[in-house]
């Protein structure tokens, strides 16, 4: 099969629309993963034994099962229980929850690395738990976490093709639709690979610049 630039021009608008959906899902899932991951990290360090054990059980259960199975559960099983999610929403929830279990470990490592003296100083100043976390601990813990958290965002972006399994018309979904309709796979799949490579490289470069900026500020 020869490469056809005419076919490339024909399918490019659909693939660009799919890329836009992919970026939207990545951004929304990233926000969910970062917020829920922080909640998981704090809960796993809670002094309340029940909360700590329940959170560990939940996060381990999510992390130890395949993302594809979780997506199928959200999209195909929940409707049997009366909960109907669109492919887009199911994809955002699935990716966000799955990667929240990984970002929680990044948060936990960063929080543990905050010197014990900071906690003691907060108690000596009679700060509340909320003030200790928001004004003392997290401002010190989060900056070193940004590079690994950024890498997880890139990983989520590269994971989005799996969402085509629940009929999400992202970049991969659009490419498969075009390929199945025309019986030409060379151009769509090649363009998908190129698109993911370009966006991933640009994202990695931005993370490197951000990491360099943080190091300069800390110096």
């Amino acid at each position: 099969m020869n490469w056809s630039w005419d076919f490339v021009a024909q399918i490019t608008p659909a693939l660009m629309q799919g890329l836009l959906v992919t970026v939207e899902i990545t951004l929304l899932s990233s926000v969910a993963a970062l917020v829920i991951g922080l909640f998981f990290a704090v809960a796993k360090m809670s002094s309340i034994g029940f909360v700590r054990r329940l959170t560990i059980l939940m996060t381990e259960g999510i992390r130890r099962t395949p993302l594809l199975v979780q997506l199928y559960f959200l999209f195909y099983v929940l409707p049997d229980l009366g909960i109907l999610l669109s492919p887009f929403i199911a994809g955002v929830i699935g990716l966000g929850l799955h990667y929240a279990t990984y970002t929680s470990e990044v948060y936990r490592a960063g929080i543990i690395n905050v010197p014990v003296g900071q906690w003691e100083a907060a108690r000596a100043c009679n700060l509340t738990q909320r003030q200790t976390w928001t004004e003392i601990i997290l401002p010190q813990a989060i900056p070193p976490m940004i590079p690994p958290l950024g890498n997880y965002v890139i990983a989520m972006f590269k994971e989005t093709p799996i969402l085509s399994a629940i009929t999400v018309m992202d970049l991969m979904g659009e490419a498969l639709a075009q390929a199945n309709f025309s019986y030409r796979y060379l151009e769509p799949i090649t363009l998908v690979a190129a698109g993911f490579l370009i966006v991933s490289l640009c994202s990695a470069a931005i993370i490197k610049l951000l990491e360099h900026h943080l190091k300069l500020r800390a110096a």
Side-chain angles (χ1 to χ4, degrees):
M1 183 180 294
N2 296 323
W3 181 272
S4 172
W5 287 108
D6 290 337
F7 185 55
V8 169
Q10 177 185 335
I11 65 176
T12 294
L15 295 185
M16 291 302 296
Q17 180 62 36
L19 179 60
L20 179 60
V21 173
T22 295
V23 172
E24 289 176 349
I25 289 177
T26 301
L27 293 177
L28 292 174
S29 300
S30 298
V31 171
L34 295 175
V35 173
I36 299 173
L38 179 58
F39 171 79
F40 283 160
V42 174
K44 283 191 284 189
M45 301 179 69
S46 172
S47 58
I48 304 174
F50 171 76
V51 173
R52 184 174 63 254
R53 288 189 292 269
L54 179 62
T55 306
I56 292 174
L57 179 63
M58 184 186 306
T59 55
E60 287 300 308
I62 295 174
R63 188 163 48 187
R64 303 302 177 185
T65 54
L67 174 58
L68 181 59
V69 174
Q70 296 166 14
L71 292 171
Y72 269 71
F73 182 86
L74 290 169
F75 188 66
Y76 292 110
V77 177
L78 286 186
D80 293 338
L81 304 176
I83 303 174
L84 184 62
L85 300 175
S86 69
F88 186 93
I89 296 299
V92 170
I93 294 174
L95 274 176
L97 274 178
H98 188 81
Y99 275 89
T101 62
Y102 292 95
T103 59
S104 68
E105 290 302 308
V106 177
Y107 283 125
R108 195 163 68 93
I111 292 169
I112 290 174
N113 285 332
V114 175
V116 176
Q118 298 295 316
W119 297 90
E120 296 173 347
R123 285 194 295 270
C125 293
N126 292 322
L127 297 182
T128 64
Q129 281 278 14
R130 183 186 64 82
Q131 290 174 323
T132 299
W133 280 103
T134 59
E135 299 178 18
I136 304 296
I137 304 305
L138 292 180
Q140 297 180 68
I142 287 180
M145 302 178 197
I146 290 179
L149 291 176
N151 289 333
Y152 274 123
V153 172
I154 296 176
M156 292 174 67
F157 173 72
K158 293 189 294 183
E159 196 85 71
T160 54
I162 199 173
L163 301 182
S164 61
I166 57 170
T167 71
V168 174
M169 294 306 290
D170 61 344
L171 180 56
M172 190 63 181
E174 290 286 359
L176 291 176
Q178 296 295 329
N180 292 333
F181 179 77
S182 63
Y183 296 101
R184 294 185 65 95
Y185 290 85
L186 174 63
E187 295 89 350
I189 302 304
T190 302
L191 291 177
V192 167
F196 274 99
L197 178 62
I198 292 171
V199 175
S200 296
L201 289 175
C202 292
S203 301
I206 292 173
I207 292 172
K208 286 287 186 182
L209 289 174
L210 182 58
E211 183 179 5
H212 180 68
H213 176 69
L214 291 173
K215 287 182 179 179
L216 289 179
R217 287 187 60 183

